[in-house]
Amino acid sequence: AQSVAQPEDQVNVAEGNPLTVKCTYSVSGNPYLFWYVQYPNRGLQFLLKYITGDNLVKGSYGFEAEFNKSQTSFHLKKPSALVSDSALYFCAVRPVGTGGGNKLTFGTGTQLKVEL
Amino acid sequence: DARVTQTPRHKVTEMGQEVTMRCQPILGHNTVFWYRQTMMQGLELLAYFRNRAPLDDSGMPKDRFSAEMPDATLATLKIQPSEPRDSAVYFCASGLVPGGNQPQHFGDGTRLSIL
């Protein structure tokens, strides 16, 4: 069975500084990896995904994520944080090739707080 | 933009009452997922459907919860009888298979409070 670990419950960063939200995964075979963001009183919103190919994936709102197969990690990054980036971030994984639908396994979420 | 629509957005009711939550998936999507989110347990998968057929509802308390898809445009999640511990935000998401690399799209949830 697959799993996702987000080791930090909360990440604090100053506006304008780079941010990193960490994610490691465990899956049999190759993974599809996703990042979602949740703003207060809203559903999860898709940010970006890794399928295959380039290990650096670019997504919405200036976010990017780096896939590292040897470290089984998929960390979310942004070069310059904004106060409006403050939200709850979820990493998710799905094994490539499994049938039955696109069921995802989610991490527990990391609260990002960007301060002035 | 196409969106997943959930109704109602908020529901407050007394213990023992029946609660029905509705979800309209994105047109053309053939998988539907129900999640529950609480502070203590985080995001839990309750059930999911493919082409309106239930594939997995192992995350759902069977004695009081039921999930159905009467047609391709409507998914329902019912709780009967409701209990205070059911208080949570319930999310519906839809997706498209085949295409396991496609993301799920979430609605904005139903915030349920059982008094």
Side-chain angles (χ1 to χ4, degrees), chain A residues 11 38 55 65-66 74 79 88 97-99 111:
Chain A
V11 170
Q38 185 181 24
N55 289 342
E66 187 168 12
F74 189 54
L88 185 59
T98 53
Q111 185 70 46

Side-chain angles (χ1 to χ4, degrees), chain A residues 14-57:
Chain A
E15 187 174 53
N17 283 1
L19 69 88
T20 299
V21 182
K22 295 179 181 177
C23 170
T24 59
Y25 66 90
S26 174
V27 70
S28 297
N30 293 318
Y32 294 134
L33 292 156
F34 302 81
W35 275 102
Y36 285 80
V37 60
Q38 185 181 24
Y39 298 102
N41 301 314
R42 301 297 303 274
L44 278 68
Q45 182 178 338
F46 169 70
L47 269 182
L48 52 79
K49 65 183 179 183
Y50 171 80
I51 305 303
T52 187
D54 194 346
N55 289 342
L56 186 63
V57 177

